[in-house]
Amino acid sequence: MKLTSLSTLPEEAVSHNPAIKKKVMLRLGDLPHLTNFSQACFAPGQCAAAHAHQDMCEVFFVEAGEGTIHINGKPYPLQPGICIAVEPGEEHEVINTGSAHLVLTYFGFLVRQDRFEG
């Protein structure tokens, strides 16, 4: 069992943009297949640059704010209550397009690559 609280966790830099801060509730090794369970806060205009993961899926849930996630170049709006899953190999970029903080709770999990190959 592992118990964490957002109120006591330190802020860390997001790897795709160190200016964006996150709090990591669970890390790689805490649970099988889980890479992280985190909450990130994007200030207006901040962007996590386009990138892809070949060996993991990511799931994003919008807690607050507005933004856009581009998946393979196609934009999708982010608003509170939206949940979006990104498959291995899909290029994704998150941008806060609103005037308030965009708060995303997200997790990643490792997948076997051969499950996604034809």
Side-chain angles (χ1 to χ4, degrees):
M1 198 273 303
K2 181 171 176 133
L3 177 66
T4 58
S5 172
L6 284 172
S7 64
T8 61
L9 292 172
E11 287 187 338
E12 302 176 25
V14 171
S15 61
H16 305 296
N17 181 341
I20 299 168
K21 301 304 178 198
K22 68 179 177 181
K23 292 186 174 189
V24 180
M25 294 171 274
L26 295 170
R27 298 178 184 280
L28 183 63
D30 287 339
L31 291 173
H33 311 290
L34 185 75
T35 62
N36 72 89
F37 179 56
S38 304
Q39 187 174 81
C41 187
F42 292 64
Q46 282 186 322
C47 171
H51 63 282
H53 309 281
Q54 298 307 314
D55 62 348
M56 68 179 271
C57 294
E58 280 187 297
V59 178
F60 298 92
F61 179 75
V62 182
E63 298 279 349
E66 296 180 354
T68 301
I69 185 168
H70 291 88
I71 299 177
N72 293 332
K74 184 175 179 183
Y76 297 90
L78 296 175
Q79 299 172 335
I82 294 288
C83 179
I84 190 157
V86 178
E87 299 284 342
E90 289 184 321
E91 186 177 81
H92 52 288
E93 174 181 64
V94 176
I95 306 166
N96 181 345
T97 58
S99 58
H101 281 86
L102 172 64
V103 180
L104 298 178
T105 298
Y106 63 100
F107 64 92
F109 57 93
L110 296 172
V111 296
R112 286 193 351 243
Q113 189 60 28
D114 61 351
R115 291 187 58 219
F116 294 92
E117 295 174 354

